[in-house]
Amino acid sequence: MQTVPFANGDAMPQLGLGTWKAAPGVVGAAVAEALRLGYRHIDCAHIYGNEAEVGQALAEAFRAGLKREDVWITSKLWNDAHAPDDVRPALEHTLKNLGLDALDLYLIHWPVAHKRGTVMPETAADFVDPDDLPLSTTWAAMETLVDQGLTRHAGVSNISVPRLRALVEGARHVPEVNQIELHPYLQQADMLAFCRDAGVHLTAYSPLGSSDRPAMLRGENEPVLLEDPTVAAVAARHGASPAQVLIAWALRRGTSVIPKSVNPARLAQNLAAAGLALNDEDMTALAALDRGVRYVSGDFWVFPGGPHTLETLWGEA
Ligand code: A2P
């Protein structure tokens, strides 16, 4: 398995397991099976509502001999804990659920702050205005967590290039990772180029198109990435599956990638994609699929009179 090198010598396995949408009651078995198959990178988040069960699966694997230092664990700070005093307790809660002393990577999940106690906003009043609680303030609290050894690395998620540039310029510890939606329908070449120059690593979420998203996160007539004819043609050339092509595409671009599965056969298939080498002809064909399709649109943060618009989230604003 290829790894992503960090400045302090740590190495993150490039292919990990996504746990968003892996339901409680199911996620534990999926993590256990993934670790058995050889996954050594598990991507978690408080808001997924399943970290305690992930923690139980990890504890079982550690009891069976897996070493803590041999598995990379990421989690994410939810939007209701952006106030500096709330950041450390949020991480401690996640560590307790996961049964860990420290994370490998902790990310600010969204550049969106809710009032304390608001899990999902229902009105514009549920947000904290970014002028009152700038992302840079939350980032400073994340830096302290690195100083305190509660996470080895810190980063962000769902951050646009202008916001990332501003954070990088003002940071004491540069965000080491930005985790964003990336797949052939949303290739984000500008982001890739910026991160390459700035030394920020990109992790690709929803690499398979996240077709199991809840209804409230689905648009009408969305194109189905796993059914794309070009992806299918590349897959056929290699005797691989479409999912394997999508994972191999992400790996060849140098990003890490966290496909979610709770199915043992698909977990194995996805891990095997690390051995699929796409050639230049494949990459050229897949490059032509770029079409700005954002499956996780962010429109759930947009309310009349609220502080966020799709332009401020993803645009050059
Ligand atoms: P399942 O968990 O039943 O395997 P994403 O990683 O983009 O969020 O996509 C996750 C979705 O893709 C889930 O519905 C998952 O279902 C499905 N999936 C995962 N691996 C594969 C695969 N190899 N082939 C087809 N679908 C897959």
Side-chain angles (χ1 to χ4, degrees), residues 142-157:
M142 297 286 283
E143 291 174 325
T144 304
L145 299 178
V146 177
D147 297 336
Q148 293 169 335
L150 292 170
T151 182
R152 293 181 65 80
H153 303 273
V156 289
S157 182

Side-chain angles (χ1 to χ4, degrees), residues 21 206-210 212 226 243 259-262 266 269-270:
K21 309 177 262 74
S206 296
L208 310 180
S210 272
D212 56 344
L226 277 170
K260 171 265 180 185
S261 182
V262 294
R266 289 192 285 276
Q269 186 195 116
N270 295 350

Side-chain angles (χ1 to χ4, degrees), residues 23-307:
V26 173
V27 70
V31 169
E33 177 64 5
L35 292 170
R36 197 189 65 76
L37 287 165
Y39 284 79
R40 290 294 179 267
H41 170 174
I42 312 288
D43 183 82
C44 311
H46 172 72
I47 193 62
Y48 301 162
N50 56 12
E51 286 194 322
E53 192 173 324
V54 173
Q56 285 162 17
L58 287 171
E60 187 59 37
F62 294 143
R63 272 196 294 277
L66 178 69
K67 292 203 185 80
R68 170 66 187 91
E69 60 269 29
D70 288 341
V71 56
W72 180 281
I73 317 276
T74 298
S75 185
K76 312 185 192 85
L77 176 77
W78 189 237
N79 305 353
D80 60 350
H82 277 211
D85 288 348
D86 294 341
V87 171
R88 180 173 169 145
L91 174 55
E92 286 172 338
H93 185 73
T94 271
L95 289 174
K96 187 158 176 281
N97 278 339
L98 291 171
L100 303 175
D101 297 327
L103 289 178
D104 296 288
L105 177 63
Y106 198 41
L107 307 175
I108 299 178
H109 207 146
W110 284 90
V112 166
H114 303 168
K115 290 196 175 143
R116 190 182 287 147
T118 296
V119 176
M120 283 303 285
E122 290 172 6
T123 73
D126 289 332
F127 293 92
V128 182
D129 195 284
D131 291 336
D132 297 331
L133 178 52
L135 200 59
S136 55
T137 301
T138 306
W139 181 253
M142 297 286 283
E143 291 174 325
T144 304
L145 299 178
V146 177
D147 297 336
Q148 293 169 335
L150 292 170
T151 182
R152 293 181 65 80
H153 303 273
V156 289
S157 182
N158 294 302
I159 304 276
S160 65
V161 168
R163 284 181 162 157
L164 188 53
R165 183 182 293 117
L167 269 190
V168 165
E169 283 170 3
R172 200 158 54 76
H173 298 305
V174 169
E176 291 183 278
V177 171
N178 187 18
Q179 182 180 125
I180 56 172
E181 180 177 338
L182 285 172
H183 44 67
Y185 286 172
L186 187 69
Q187 303 192 14
Q188 307 214 45
D190 291 353
M191 175 68 81
L192 205 62
F194 173 80
C195 285
R196 204 166 277 151
D197 289 349
V200 178
H201 176 73
L202 280 172
T203 297
Y205 78 62
S206 296
L208 310 180
S210 272
S211 52
D212 56 344
R213 272 164 298 133
M216 67 162 285
L217 299 185
R218 300 177 66 89
E220 277 172 34
N221 304 319
E222 289 177 341
V224 181
L225 184 59
L226 277 170
E227 293 173 5
D228 184 275
T230 301
V231 175
V234 173
R237 280 210 287 274
H238 291 275
S241 73
Q244 288 179 314
V245 167
L246 295 170
I247 294 164
W249 175 86
L251 296 173
R252 180 151 168 193
R253 295 212 314 164
T255 64
S256 49
V257 60
I258 47 169
K260 171 265 180 185
S261 182
V262 294
N263 172 284
R266 289 192 285 276
L267 283 167
Q269 186 195 116
N270 295 350
L271 187 62
L276 170 60
L278 298 182
N279 57 37
D280 292 346
E281 188 192 343
D282 302 326
M283 292 306 280
T284 303
L286 295 167
L289 298 182
D290 202 10
R291 59 193 64 177
V293 169
R294 205 181 273 284
Y295 291 113
V296 182
S297 72
D299 58 2
F300 33 87
W301 309 136
V302 178
F303 288 82

